[in-house]
Amino acid sequence: MEEMRLQGGGTAAAAPIIEFRGVSKTYPTGTHALEDVNIRITGGEFVFIVGSSGAGKSTFMKLIMREEKANTGIIRVNGFNLTTMPRKEVPMLRRTMGIVFQDFRLIPTMNVFQNVAFAMHVVGASDRDVRREVSRALSKVGLGNKARSMPAQLSGGEQQRVGLARALVNSPDLIIADEPTGNVDPNMSYEIVSLLTEINKRGTTVLMVTHDHNLVRDFQHRVIMLERGKIVADNAGGSFQ
Amino acid sequence: MKFSSMRYLAGEGVKNAWVNRLMTIASVGVLVACMVIIGLAILISENVNKAVGNLEQQNVVMAYMKDYNWALYGGGSDADTSSGTDSSASDASQDTASDSEEAEAGTSAESSEGSESTESTTDDTDKADENGIKPSDYVIHNDDEAKALCDEIAKIDNVAAVEYITSEEGLESVKESMIEGQESYFTFLDDEYGNPMSGAAKITMTDMSKFDETIDKIMELDGVDTIQSQSDLADKIAAIKRGVGIAGFWIIAILMVISLVIVSNTIRVTMYNRKLEISIMKAVGATDSFVRIPFVVEGMLIGLVSALIAEGLLYFCYRVATETIIATLGTTDIVYYSDVAWWLLLVFIGIGIFAGVLGSVIMISKYLRREGSEFAAI
Ligand SMILES: Nc1ncnc2c1ncn2[C@@H]1O[C@H](COP(=O)(O)OP(=O)(O)O)[C@@H](O)[C@H]1O
Ligand SMILES: [Mg+2]
């Protein structure tokens, strides 16, 4: 299984797609969400982030997408130095990543096609590219025949697959998903993670937060465990579990 | 920015306005009301300016000249040159040799008529005539000199027109202006004692607000004795114009602020309805300007629709009002809507776009600055 990760694109020597060095995050409320976190994630890896509630998993993801800024330390993502990057470059950083939400975040007044197309239109894609890429992304997640359905007509698993198609449609190098299976029943969860694994095999780095130990056990990927804002375990070398 | 993106985002803006239609209609209503009031303020001030302009035309100034009659009746004293003074009044200071009784004071103007010039100099070319008036006693000796003076006056800034009024014409107009029947009391003016009127320049000014400085310049000319005018009317006209201007400015300023608040509030509501879309846009890397465009389009749409409705409504209201005024007062001397229709429409569109764009930009910038929660999977 460790070999499969390496097949995914990265080698230990490759420049990391995500690098945290001595990163701490304290919210204005005084909560120390992350303390002295050091991480290297190589391009092509699939990483589960686990840990109990309040451990700092979401904060870790928010730092990667630069929704929050670290108080100390250095963060590099996809070649961007998030510590020194001005606010107006944040959109460019985000275009290199696809984000999957726990609550799907589909626009209820738009059909499946429009929801996925929205992510392309708002970054300035042409109509022709939108038509081609949206169809491609929908067939990747197995929803080619549901393009005209409204979100409310879909199951939770299907809705999350639309969310996945939307994250994929701009061809990101990195997908980050904070508990994407949190609102999906167990069978569908397996389907979602299978899809993510497939996407990862084609070279996209995947970072996924989850509570589901069964998923972690069954999909043998790298696992980083956070507790009280600190990394307590990391099977980067294949030695975890 | 690509045309397809622009079209897509503009379409989103139109959609916002439609999805939010109750709010849209409400804010269009308020904006239309503001614009109609602004339009009425403009139309009223235009009408006041027009009426005042007509008054200004009628407000002529008479500059009386130092001519023979002035020397004879007025007395060559430069002491009294204030405007509004009757030129025929005189203190008769120079030649009351025959008698200087206090009893004569009440009729001093007439008494000077029979005076003798006893202390005049004896210059060959400057001989006193039978009334004791020498050519050097006055400045304007004939019509040519009077017309030359009129030309001098016409050269002064702010003087629109000058007309020479001879003493005979002056007397005629004085008589005409008298209440019917009183004329007979004043027959002594020409029958018994001769015409006492001096020649005058009838002056029209361009701008009544420069009244005083223009009068000063006219007074500086040699040959001008006194100036008769209704300077208080000039003051009133200037005051009316100023008042209308100030009131108009404040009405427009206040209503502009109201328009801005109304539109930005509507946009704020849209924005909170669109929280989800905004969070997704930001998550996938839309720039702030892309996020802003649909809202700006929505604001502009509200502004433009309001401008068109306001134009139509104001046209209708104004026509009804002016038709009533024409029917009841009989005056047709008003500003017609067709004269101002285009620039009123421009003003409305200007207000609409100002309120729409600024209102939405203020709101969305405020929202974007507090970086929203794209990722609140708590
Ligand atoms: N915006 C915030 N402001 C203040 N405290 C926060 C904020 N977000 C998270 N926290 C706190 O930071 C800690 C870590 O939160 P989080 O990263 O969401 O944990 P997890 O996703 O692992 O459950 C928690 O104690 C949480 O209450
Ligand atoms: Mg969380």
Side-chain angles (χ1 to χ4, degrees):
Chain A
M1 282 304 137
E2 175 64 13
E3 279 156 25
M4 196 182 83
R5 182 177 67 77
L6 292 173
Q7 267 172 9
T11 64
I17 191 167
I18 295 171
E19 185 180 16
F20 275 52
R21 269 198 279 164
V23 173
S24 295
K25 172 66 184 176
T26 305
Y27 284 106
T29 54
T31 310
H32 300 292
L34 289 180
E35 281 174 77
D36 192 28
V37 170
N38 293 283
I39 278 178
R40 285 169 70 97
I41 294 169
T42 314
E45 278 193 283
F46 191 125
V47 182
F48 283 127
I49 313 286
V50 298
S52 50
S53 186
K57 305 181 297 294
S58 296
T59 301
F60 177 66
M61 302 297 246
K62 286 178 183 176
L63 287 176
I64 291 170
M65 62 180 287
R66 220 331 182 100
E67 191 182 337
E68 295 287 352
K69 276 180 91 169
N71 299 88
T72 55
I74 291 170
I75 303 175
R76 287 181 207 278
V77 176
N78 272 337
F80 291 86
N81 183 338
L82 272 54
T83 330
T84 55
M85 187 175 69
R87 198 180 102 81
K88 70 174 190 349
E89 273 182 32
V90 171
M92 296 309 136
L93 167 75
R94 302 237 172 114
R95 286 176 197 195
T96 68
M97 54 179 73
I99 300 165
V100 183
F101 304 92
Q102 178 177 0
D103 55 357
F104 319 139
R105 305 251 177 130
L106 302 182
I107 298 159
T109 54
M110 292 181 183
N111 66 29
V112 166
F113 186 95
Q114 289 166 330
N115 262 288
V116 179
F118 184 71
M120 287 190 79
H121 278 302
V122 298
V123 295
S126 73
D127 287 347
R128 199 193 324 134
D129 288 351
V130 170
R131 270 194 301 277
R132 194 185 55 229
E133 294 300 324
V134 172
S135 305
R136 188 176 290 176
L138 283 176
S139 48
K140 259 188 216 169
V141 299
L143 284 176
N145 57 338
K146 299 262 180 169
R148 306 260 157 247
S149 303
M150 298 306 279
Q153 300 168 324
L154 303 178
S155 72
E158 285 172 326
Q159 290 191 45
Q160 191 55 298
R161 273 147 63 192
V162 178
L164 202 51
R166 182 178 59 196
L168 282 175
V169 78
N170 287 322
S171 312
D173 303 318
L174 171 69
I175 286 193
I176 55 178
D178 193 350
E179 303 193 36
T181 59
N183 291 337
V184 173
D185 60 59
N187 289 345
M188 288 296 182
S189 298
Y190 271 82
E191 217 176 287
I192 302 278
V193 182
S194 300
L195 272 171
L196 283 170
T197 304
E198 235 171 82
I199 292 158
N200 171 249
K201 277 182 190 159
R202 295 193 202 118
T204 308
T205 309
V206 176
L207 220 62
M208 173 177 159
V209 172
T210 185
H211 270 130
D212 191 333
H213 291 290
N214 294 329
L215 288 177
V216 177
R217 189 190 60 227
D218 294 347
F219 292 87
Q220 294 271 304
H221 297 306
R222 177 178 174 187
V223 181
I224 294 173
M225 183 182 268
L226 281 169
E227 275 321 324
R228 295 164 175 266
K230 292 195 170 87
I231 294 177
V232 294
D234 183 350
N235 70 342
S239 57
F240 185 64
Q241 282 186 331
Chain B
M1 185 181 299
K2 287 196 207 79
F3 176 72
S4 60
S5 314
M6 193 62 224
R7 200 193 50 214
Y8 179 82
L9 294 166
E12 287 296 298
V14 175
K15 223 167 72 186
N16 285 1
W18 176 247
V19 169
N20 217 13
R21 55 192 168 275
L22 261 184
M23 218 34 215
T24 306
I25 290 168
S27 45
V28 165
V30 177
L31 263 188
V32 166
C34 289
M35 287 175 182
V36 166
I37 296 170
I38 288 174
L40 283 175
I42 291 173
L43 284 166
I44 289 170
S45 76
E46 281 296 295
N47 273 303
V48 168
N49 281 342
K50 185 164 186 174
V52 166
N54 291 340
L55 265 183
E56 280 181 349
Q57 293 299 308
Q58 291 157 15
N59 187 29
V60 292
V61 172
M62 299 294 280
Y64 289 95
M65 299 175 182
K66 293 179 176 173
D67 60 4
Y68 184 84
N69 278 359
W70 165 75
L72 184 59
Y73 299 103
S77 161
D78 286 343
D80 188 359
T81 54
S82 66
S83 61
T85 310
D86 188 334
S87 67
S88 65
S90 167
D91 56 9
S93 58
Q94 112 241 45
D95 45 13
T96 49
S98 55
D99 64 64
S100 52
E101 296 297 322
E102 278 297 309
E104 297 283 341
T107 55
S108 60
E110 291 81 50
S111 74
S112 63
E113 178 265 330
S115 60
E116 308 282 305
S117 173
T118 51
E119 64 270 4
S120 59
T121 56
T122 50
D123 187 333
D124 286 349
T125 57
D126 194 22
K127 292 232 172 65
D129 65 2
E130 71 274 14
N131 292 325
I133 307 290
K134 305 187 297 289
S136 63
D137 288 341
Y138 55 101
V139 183
I140 306 297
H141 300 92
N142 51 44
D143 279 358
D144 285 344
E145 285 182 10
K147 281 172 187 153
L149 178 60
C150 286
D151 290 345
E152 284 299 306
I153 294 171
K155 281 180 200 152
I156 293 171
D157 276 349
N158 194 36
V159 170
V162 184
E163 188 189 344
Y164 174 46
I165 307 291
T166 63
S167 67
E168 292 76 26
E169 287 166 347
L171 185 69
E172 278 309 304
S173 71
V174 167
K175 281 184 185 171
E176 271 171 29
S177 68
M178 281 168 184
I179 301 164
E180 212 181 326
Q182 282 193 349
E183 230 176 288
S184 54
Y185 296 112
F186 295 91
T187 48
F188 63 86
L189 285 177
D190 50 350
D191 294 351
E192 204 174 333
Y193 302 101
N195 179 2
M197 299 293 290
S198 293
K202 187 176 168 185
I203 301 158
T204 316
M205 290 187 200
T206 313
D207 180 1
M208 292 310 281
S209 65
K210 294 184 194 147
F211 183 87
D212 287 340
E213 46 192 282
T214 311
I215 294 294
D216 287 346
K217 282 189 192 135
I218 296 170
M219 292 296 294
E220 279 168 18
L221 294 175
D222 198 18
V224 174
D225 174 29
T226 60
I227 293 207
Q228 196 180 50
S229 73
Q230 291 173 280
S231 68
D232 55 333
L233 180 63
D235 289 347
K236 278 180 194 150
I237 287 172
I240 289 172
K241 279 186 147 180
R242 221 175 17 248
V244 168
I246 292 170
F249 171 81
W250 282 109
I251 287 173
I252 290 170
I254 290 168
L255 291 175
M256 291 276 261
V257 172
I258 292 175
S259 309
L260 192 61
V261 170
I262 291 299
V263 175
S264 49
N265 198 52
T266 305
I267 298 296
R268 202 184 55 163
V269 170
T270 311
M271 228 165 50
Y272 281 96
N273 289 344
R274 304 257 130 188
K275 247 178 149 154
L276 178 62
E277 278 95 324
I278 296 174
S279 76
I280 295 165
M281 287 175 93
K282 290 178 78 178
V284 300
T287 56
D288 282 1
S289 57
F290 263 57
V291 176
R292 216 178 270 136
I293 285 169
F295 297 96
V296 173
V297 167
E298 184 189 357
M300 266 171 63
L301 192 70
I302 290 173
L304 282 178
V305 169
S306 304
L308 293 177
I309 295 175
E311 175 88 358
L313 199 64
L314 189 60
Y315 169 72
F316 178 75
C317 292
Y318 191 68
R319 231 184 72 173
V320 170
T322 50
E323 273 170 7
T324 315
I325 288 168
I326 291 169
T328 52
L329 299 181
T331 176
T332 55
D333 204 11
I334 51 155
V335 174
Y336 287 93
Y337 197 80
S338 54
D339 298 341
V340 292
W342 277 111
W343 75 265
L344 268 182
L345 184 63
L346 282 181
V347 167
F348 291 161
I349 289 175
I351 295 169
I353 288 181
F354 163 79
V357 172
L358 202 62
S360 51
V361 167
I362 289 171
M363 273 303 149
I364 191 74
S365 303
K366 225 164 103 182
Y367 185 89
L368 289 174
R369 236 180 293 121
R370 313 183 326 260
E371 296 187 42
S373 55
E374 290 91 340
F375 208 81
I378 307 143

